[in-house]
Amino acid sequence: MSDLHIILTTTGTMGDAVPFTVLAKEFKRRGYPVTLVTSSDHAPLAESAGIDFASALDEADRPQIGRDESAFFREQMIPAYYNIERAIRAKVEQGGPIFCVNRFGNWGSLFACERHELPFVNILL
């Protein structure tokens, strides 16, 4: 088993969470400790794969059709960004090397990686 802990971060619908869960399962299969950070409604995906889970948001992603984008960003995304940073910080405080795999455009994970000087890659779905 590797010392390198891989943290995968995404928010959004099931279509956002499933690709990151597949990546997390493969990293775990290769011997890496893995944490998936996404919306709490996707926790069963991580749990069924035996992957460590941290909640970025305690509610499901709102439907995209007809939603108020300003309210969505203010009420869901900004709090999720703070929670993602907290989850990453908690792993940093546990010690050991960390590598982050972030959904492109996820500012919470990007800022956390820069703040804690962590290597990362952004993935565009």
Side-chain angles (χ1 to χ4, degrees):
M1 182 172 221
S2 174
D3 288 346
L4 179 64
H5 192 106
I6 299 177
I7 301 174
L8 297 99
T9 62
T10 187
T11 53
T13 64
M14 185 73 73
D16 299 298
V18 167
F20 280 82
T21 304
V22 170
L23 285 171
K25 287 166 66 172
E26 180 60 21
F27 286 130
K28 181 179 177 180
R29 186 189 72 75
R30 292 179 184 214
Y32 294 96
V34 179
T35 300
L36 178 64
V37 184
T38 188
S39 304
S40 61
D41 55 325
H42 305 310
L45 284 173
E47 292 164 359
S48 69
I51 298 165
D52 183 40
F53 177 81
S55 179
L57 190 63
D58 291 333
E59 59 184 276
D61 187 55
R62 295 181 187 166
Q64 296 178 11
I65 297 173
R67 75 178 171 199
D68 177 336
E69 289 299 320
S70 293
F72 169 74
F73 193 81
R74 180 179 59 251
E75 296 166 8
Q76 279 200 307
M77 295 312 298
I78 291 174
Y81 293 161
Y82 281 105
N83 290 337
I84 289 167
E85 195 285 328
R86 284 186 197 109
I88 291 172
R89 181 174 5 111
K91 293 297 179 187
V92 167
E93 290 171 354
Q94 289 176 4
I98 295 172
F99 181 79
C100 293
V101 178
N102 308 321
R103 178 177 176 216
F104 182 81
N106 192 310
W107 296 105
S109 53
L110 179 62
F111 292 158
C113 289
E114 289 180 356
R115 172 180 287 157
H116 301 291
E117 299 179 344
L118 300 175
F120 67 91
V121 63
N122 290 325
I123 295 178
L124 180 63
L125 297 178

